[in-house]
Amino acid sequence: MNSAPMFRKVALIGFGLIGGSIARGAKSLGLAGEIVTTARSAETRARVRELGIVDRVVESNAEAADGADLVILCIPVGACGDVAKEIAPHLKHGAIVSDVGSVKGAVVKAMAPYLPEDVHFVPAHPVAGTENSGPDSGFAELFINRWCILTPPEGTNAEATEKLAAFWRALGANVEIMTPEHHDLVLAVTSHLPHLIAYTIVSTAEELEGVTQSEVLKFSAGGFRDFTRIAASDPTMWRDVFLTNKDAVLEMLGEFQEDLSKLTRAIRRGDGDALFDHFTRTRAIRRGIVQIGQDEAAPDFGRRHKQLGKAPE
Ligand code: NAP
């Protein structure tokens, strides 16, 4: 437990996977004197009250933001502009306003025009998540050893940026600062394109003629099931990501299609050397991710295997 909280009042607008994980982490570490939250629906607000993690659950975004030292929007990217407009008149002088959106350029564009000059706007994106959403899905350890990218607009107060960075570091994250444009390009290839590919493969398999759906499910351990985790991600969140990071995603999709064409050609021509070289390079990337601690070295994502000779459970 910290002796003095970093912020007197923290407002989390939205309490799903990310808002709920911040709340759980900040509460257990004592990072805030008071954590106040709200969510769009009465149903989620009632569930958050039941969970008893935060100090207060209020009925409106304005009420949550009122007098808060740190306000974090933990809602879909497409909703950030409207919420910024709604909370703007209630923001305290000197407050830090942030978000957790997976796209940064569009969020900055949507929120900045509404925010008063006497608050510090420091957009953020914790690059951590799971395929689950909603108030029960969060956990305090989500951000440990993951990266949180801050994209403060030019001229942002350095002290405010550092204060938010310290908050994220306390939650276990490493912090990096970059421009919103660069963030959107990097995330287009490391996150948005992989999600699009997973969404595509899973629906292709679902619509196949000549292979039944039960066969697809039954034999999914051949590789398919690893894509289904990503393709189970929240439809609202991902709709908004592709609507708001259109240019960077289209650029990366163009690169991907070229590479796919090269592999298609190698398969058609029976060019084993080209395929072998390609797969050797990609294997090295996986090893690199494990080496820098962004995944476990355990084979098959660490899944536990049943023991031989034991009756299946
Ligand atoms: P989530 O679990 O679905 O929670 C979203 C929260 O936002 C809920 O409390 C929801 O309230 C509220 N909300 C939804 N639409 C709203 C609207 N129009 N106005 C106000 N509140 C609204 O989502 P999440 O996974 O935490 O994602 C939240 C943000 O984090 C997104 O911007 C996403 O891009 C970003 N992010 C997600 C991940 C990930 O892996 N999931 C990772 C990094 C960043 P109700 O429950 O009442 O509908």
Side-chain angles (χ1 to χ4, degrees):
M1 219 37 191
N2 281 3
S3 46
M6 278 184 178
F7 294 95
R8 200 186 50 79
K9 174 179 172 184
V10 171
L12 300 172
I13 297 188
F15 196 99
L17 173 69
I18 302 297
S21 296
I22 297 174
R24 286 168 172 93
K27 192 72 194 166
S28 71
L29 293 164
L31 303 182
E34 184 188 28
I35 302 177
V36 178
T37 194
T38 188
R40 178 179 50 169
S41 67
E43 192 187 343
T44 300
R45 294 195 296 272
R47 179 61 190 145
V48 180
R49 278 192 193 100
E50 258 170 38
L51 287 169
I53 299 159
V54 299
D55 300 291
R56 271 193 302 138
V57 181
V58 296
E59 295 302 300
S60 73
N61 299 329
E63 200 183 338
D66 193 47
D69 306 281
L70 171 63
V71 180
I72 309 180
L73 271 55
C74 307
I75 59 178
V77 167
C80 287
D82 284 347
V83 172
K85 186 178 176 186
E86 187 188 341
I87 63 172
H90 306 271
L91 292 169
K92 176 180 163 179
H93 169 80
I96 297 175
V97 178
S98 189
D99 75 306
V100 293
S102 307
V103 176
K104 296 275 57 96
V107 166
V108 171
K109 227 166 145 182
M111 287 181 65
Y114 296 114
L115 298 177
E117 286 200 351
D118 66 345
V119 305
H120 308 294
F121 180 35
V122 188
H125 175 205
V127 186
T130 74
E131 65 279 28
N132 298 327
S133 48
D136 288 276
S137 62
F139 51 100
E141 301 77 17
L142 178 63
F143 308 111
I144 296 177
N145 203 26
R146 300 279 89 91
W147 286 89
C148 181
I149 300 173
L150 305 187
T151 65
E154 237 181 78
T156 304
N157 179 292
E159 212 176 297
T161 304
E162 179 44 39
K163 211 166 170 197
L164 186 68
F167 180 78
W168 279 105
R169 280 192 216 104
L171 291 173
N174 306 308
V175 173
E176 188 142 321
I177 294 179
M178 59 179 75
T179 64
E181 296 73 29
H182 190 63
H183 166 278
D184 289 353
L185 203 60
V186 172
L187 271 291
V189 70
T190 56
S191 174
H192 308 169
L193 187 62
H195 275 79
L196 196 69
I197 293 167
Y199 281 126
T200 313
I201 292 180
V202 173
S203 71
T204 303
E206 195 200 7
E207 287 154 19
L208 277 181
E209 281 178 25
V211 176
T212 66
Q213 215 183 81
S214 70
E215 285 172 319
V216 170
L217 303 185
K218 195 157 109 188
F219 303 117
S220 63
F224 179 75
R225 70 176 179 190
D226 290 342
F227 286 96
T228 60
R229 183 191 75 74
I230 299 182
S233 299
D234 187 65
T236 306
M237 166 182 163
W238 284 95
R239 177 203 62 197
D240 284 6
V241 166
F242 292 115
L243 290 179
T244 54
N245 199 23
K246 185 172 155 183
D247 293 344
V249 169
L250 289 177
E251 188 177 331
M252 292 306 164
L253 205 50
E255 301 275 341
F256 174 74
Q257 275 162 346
E258 276 181 33
D259 284 346
L260 193 60
S261 301
K262 278 187 214 153
L263 280 180
T264 310
R265 203 177 317 123
I267 293 169
R268 194 181 307 114
R269 291 178 181 169
D271 187 346
D273 288 345
L275 294 173
F276 187 84
D277 288 349
H278 190 102
F279 302 156
T280 305
R281 274 188 286 126
T282 54
R283 199 175 212 195
I285 300 252
R286 171 73 195 162
R287 289 185 177 146
I289 290 171
V290 171
Q291 255 166 25
I292 62 163
Q294 288 303 300
D295 207 353
E296 303 295 326
D300 197 19
F301 295 160
R303 289 182 178 107
R304 288 194 308 135
H305 291 260
K306 301 261 181 318
Q307 283 181 309
L308 262 183
K310 283 205 169 167
E313 286 151 24

